[in-house]
Amino acid sequence: MNIEALHHAYAASTTPVDVVEQIFARIEAEGLHPIWISVLPKERVLARAESLAAQDKTSLPLYGVPFAVKDNIDVAGCPTTAACAEYAYIPAESATVVARLEAAGAILIGKTNMDQFATGLVGTRTPYGICSSVFNPNYISGGSSSGSAVSVASGLVSFSLGTDTAGSGRVPAMFNNLVGLKPTRGVLSAAGVVPACRTLDCVSIFAETSGDAALVLAAAGGYDEKDPYSRQPGVGAGASPWAAAPSFRFGVPSPEALEFFGDEQNPALYQAAVEALTKLGGQPIEFDLAPFLATAQLLYKGPWVAERYAAIATFIEAFKDKMDPTVAGIISGAGRYTAVDAFDAAYKLEALRGVTAKAWANFDLMLLPTAPRAYTIAEIAEAPVERNSHLGTYTNFVNLLDLAAVAVPAGMRPDGLPFGVTLIGKAFTETALLPVADKLHRALNATLGGSQRALSTTTPLSPATTPQGTLLMAVVGAHLEGQPLNWQLTQRGGRLVRRTKTAVDYKFYALKNTTPPKPGLVRVPGYAGPGIEVEVWALPSETVGSFVDGVPQPLSIGKLKLEDGSLVMGFLVEPEATADAVEITSLGGWRAYLSSLK
């Protein structure tokens, strides 16, 4: 039930009422548990569907799209339980993300099962029944956003919201063949969300495709003054010049650092993902995973677990015996940490942040297994804490280090279970990661979620013409690749995007008395020349000022029109500087001119 297919159906004869009726028919036949903790009254959902029929489909990007939310996310008039009946309360208003999605035309169906108080990556720590992978009922669904993932993978809704502190929006995506988007902390408002670790929590998105996830992110995102941890990127934040370039660099751990805890099938699938991403233009760069793993250890083996206690302190003191025993043990154990422990851990995290930053200097994004392996429900019962910890090996450090991540399906195992990998980037790079994730998804997988519907029937997600946090700059002379001033671009993190030509109404000159030799470009309205060869580079926005400041007279930076009609920043020259210059327009470019001098 991907969004694109649903919109095609609506453009034909299907109505939102038809879709809602079908969903409730399935729920009534299958029962609530274990996917749902509660569903909205059918009459309320039908009334919502009927109201949409009177609205303009084209003005609502999520028109008639059914979705679910994890039951730690508030929905007005519906109980929020966090998978603990004794904790339940009925909020007067919906979480900001829910309200924004409904404003975009989406139809909320209900609230999904989860590991209690979002504490776990397994999906078994709940009194509402254990969700399993849609591919094998003996295997866990992953948690804590278990029901949210399964509701999408089983085709009940088109997308769902989870939360992700330690990997809860990514591990269930792997076990159910879904895309799991964990955006940068604060990009999606947490107002109206029961906190787990308030300083680290993220609302996450499960979808069948990266395109669907991007659409939901656009509708739900944005600054929210109700959430003190809400953020909006500043100028240049999340700069991703690599996203528009034909090649990029991706980090892969050294082979000895990878741990699959005895699984014999996933290592080969991970290697296949590395090879696929390489074929898509990536250059694998080996890096030391150890400082990232050391960071991950801080989440549950350090004082951050005390945030979980802070979130429900009054409740746990009164109702500890009503909680899942494993969850109660983890959260109540936080009492042993002191303020000194918290500061010591903060110092250690900052030191690790500095070490890991050095690794990021060598690559643009990271490719890791989403989880080392899948476990059966029985295996989790044998060692609930230890094996839960295994599942967070490659996820626990991400929020601590303020990174963005997209979990993506990466092929099927011989035993019929799905495998998945995660693309990880710096803060605010989620919109750059999603198109890469989409390409990798299409290279490694054929079907959507738990269905047999073909991924190839969906439209690929195109990268932004101008990547997040960047500015496009056209260069024509000494800044071209291989020329003496090209370092001024590369030293600022610039990436070559493409080679093209200007529009035809430009004249080109070899300027006199410039060191190194430089050309000048002048626009002459009405002139019809050959167009001048240029290179378009993507520069991080925050570096553009220093670059422009270094441009000497008579050169300047202005708007250039390219042969396709688009406008980019680029080098121009003051017309009077051409009086004693040599016109070289007929040669079509600086490299041709340099060759003519030999």
Side-chain angles (χ1 to χ4, degrees):
M1 197 188 291
N2 62 291
I3 296 174
E4 181 183 16
L6 192 59
H7 281 168
H8 285 320
Y10 286 149
S13 59
T14 302
T15 69
V17 171
D18 296 333
V19 171
V20 169
E21 289 282 12
Q22 292 168 12
I23 293 171
F24 272 84
R26 277 193 58 187
I27 293 173
E28 289 162 7
E30 297 170 6
L32 285 183
H33 299 155
I35 296 175
W36 306 94
I37 289 179
S38 64
V39 295
L40 275 63
K42 183 177 179 181
E43 295 75 17
R44 172 174 166 176
V45 183
L46 282 172
R48 164 73 174 157
E50 289 167 355
S51 71
L52 285 171
Q55 299 187 47
D56 179 11
K57 297 183 181 70
T58 61
S59 66
L60 298 172
L62 297 177
Y63 175 87
V65 179
F67 74 108
V69 300
K70 187 175 180 178
D71 199 17
N72 59 347
I73 300 174
D74 286 347
V75 174
C78 298
T80 297
T81 72
C84 183
E86 289 76 14
Y87 179 79
Y89 63 90
I90 298 180
E93 62 180 13
S94 295
T96 298
V97 284
V98 173
R100 287 177 175 173
L101 292 169
E102 290 185 320
I107 300 175
L108 180 62
I109 301 301
K111 310 191 73 182
T112 56
N113 203 352
M114 57 183 283
D115 278 325
Q116 195 173 81
F117 293 110
T119 302
L121 291 171
V122 291
T124 63
R125 299 171 178 177
T126 169
Y128 292 95
I130 295 174
C131 284
S132 61
S133 166
V134 294
F135 293 91
N136 189 321
N138 294 320
Y139 280 81
I140 62 170
S141 62
S144 60
S145 308
S146 55
S148 290
V150 175
S151 67
V152 178
S154 60
L156 282 164
V157 293
S158 296
F159 73 90
S160 65
L161 299 183
T163 59
D164 188 315
T165 303
S168 297
R170 292 163 278 163
V171 172
M174 170 172 152
F175 294 166
N176 291 282
N177 201 43
L178 297 173
V179 171
L181 169 61
K182 188 220 74 69
T184 304
R185 296 189 329 239
V187 165
L188 293 178
S189 171
V193 179
V194 177
C197 294
R198 191 181 294 272
T199 60
L200 301 178
D201 293 340
C202 296
V203 173
S204 66
I205 298 167
F206 294 103
E208 290 185 328
T209 68
S210 294
D212 281 1
L215 191 60
V216 174
L217 178 67
Y223 180 75
D224 179 19
E225 62 182 13
K226 294 179 181 179
D227 175 12
Y229 289 96
S230 183
R231 302 158 72 188
Q232 51 187 349
V235 175
S240 307
W242 53 268
S247 62
F248 55 90
R249 304 162 302 165
F250 66 98
V252 294
S254 54
E256 62 272 14
L258 288 167
E259 177 62 78
F260 294 94
F261 297 101
D263 187 279
E264 297 179 353
Q265 299 179 28
N266 288 348
L269 287 168
Y270 174 68
Q271 185 56 40
V274 172
E275 293 170 2
L277 196 56
T278 302
K279 290 178 181 178
L280 292 170
Q283 177 190 359
I285 305 292
E286 193 171 291
F287 73 98
D288 183 7
L289 187 62
F292 294 90
L293 297 179
T295 304
Q297 293 295 312
L298 295 175
L299 190 59
Y300 279 103
K301 295 183 178 179
W304 273 272
V305 75
E307 279 202 273
R308 295 183 182 270
Y309 183 85
I312 59 167
T314 302
F315 177 82
I316 195 171
E317 291 301 327
F319 295 98
K320 180 179 177 181
D321 61 329
K322 301 293 185 181
M323 293 174 59
D324 176 271
T326 303
V327 172
I330 292 169
I331 297 178
S332 62
R336 69 182 182 273
Y337 292 107
T338 67
V340 173
D341 294 328
F343 279 109
D344 284 344
Y347 303 151
K348 185 173 183 180
L349 174 60
E350 208 58 30
L352 287 166
R353 197 188 307 277
V355 174
T356 58
K358 294 177 182 178
W360 282 106
N362 299 317
F363 49 78
D364 306 308
L365 56 101
M366 188 186 294
L367 179 71
L368 294 178
T370 298
R373 57 166 297 168
Y375 285 112
T376 65
I377 294 169
E379 286 171 331
I380 292 297
E382 292 170 355
V385 175
E386 178 187 11
R387 287 174 177 161
N388 180 92
S389 177
H390 293 172
L391 297 178
T393 300
Y394 304 117
T395 60
N396 284 356
F397 66 83
V398 174
N399 281 344
L400 283 165
L401 293 175
D402 196 18
L403 304 174
V406 183
V408 62
M412 301 299 291
R413 295 156 47 99
D415 61 7
L417 292 174
F419 177 66
V421 293
T422 297
L423 301 177
I424 302 171
K426 293 181 180 180
F428 300 110
T429 61
E430 48 275 325
T431 56
L433 293 173
L434 280 165
V436 181
D438 187 63
K439 289 180 181 179
L440 186 60
H441 188 183
R442 294 172 189 278
L444 296 171
N445 250 61
T447 58
L448 296 166
S451 74
Q452 291 303 309
R453 288 175 291 119
L455 174 60
S456 61
T457 62
T458 66
T459 301
L461 178 62
S462 299
T465 303
T466 304
Q468 167 74 27
T470 66
L471 184 144
L472 298 182
M473 180 76 66
V475 298
V476 294
H479 289 89
L480 294 168
E481 190 173 44
Q483 295 302 306
L485 296 183
N486 182 248
W487 64 270
Q488 293 182 356
L489 294 170
T490 58
Q491 196 175 73
R492 288 172 170 82
R495 294 293 180 85
L496 175 61
V497 174
R498 58 191 172 114
R499 293 183 172 91
T500 184
K501 291 185 177 182
T502 67
V504 297
D505 54 349
Y506 284 88
K507 288 188 176 183
F508 199 42
Y509 298 85
L511 303 178
K512 289 188 176 180
N513 303 317
T514 57
T515 305
K518 300 180 183 71
L521 192 65
V522 178
R523 189 176 186 189
V524 182
Y527 176 73
I532 306 303
E533 292 180 352
V534 300
E535 290 179 352
V536 178
W537 286 69
L539 273 177
S541 298
E542 61 185 8
T543 70
V544 172
S546 65
F547 179 78
V548 173
D549 188 55
V551 175
Q553 283 188 312
L555 297 174
S556 65
I557 299 294
K559 288 284 189 179
L560 264 65
K561 187 176 183 179
L562 303 181
E563 63 178 349
D564 63 2
S566 62
L567 295 174
V568 298
M569 302 299 291
F571 279 85
L572 297 170
V573 70
E574 297 172 5
E576 55 267 31
T578 65
D580 61 351
V582 178
E583 185 177 349
I584 55 174
T585 307
S586 62
L587 295 175
W590 187 243
R591 286 195 176 91
Y593 168 70
L594 294 177
S595 295
S596 73
L597 300 178
K598 296 177 182 178

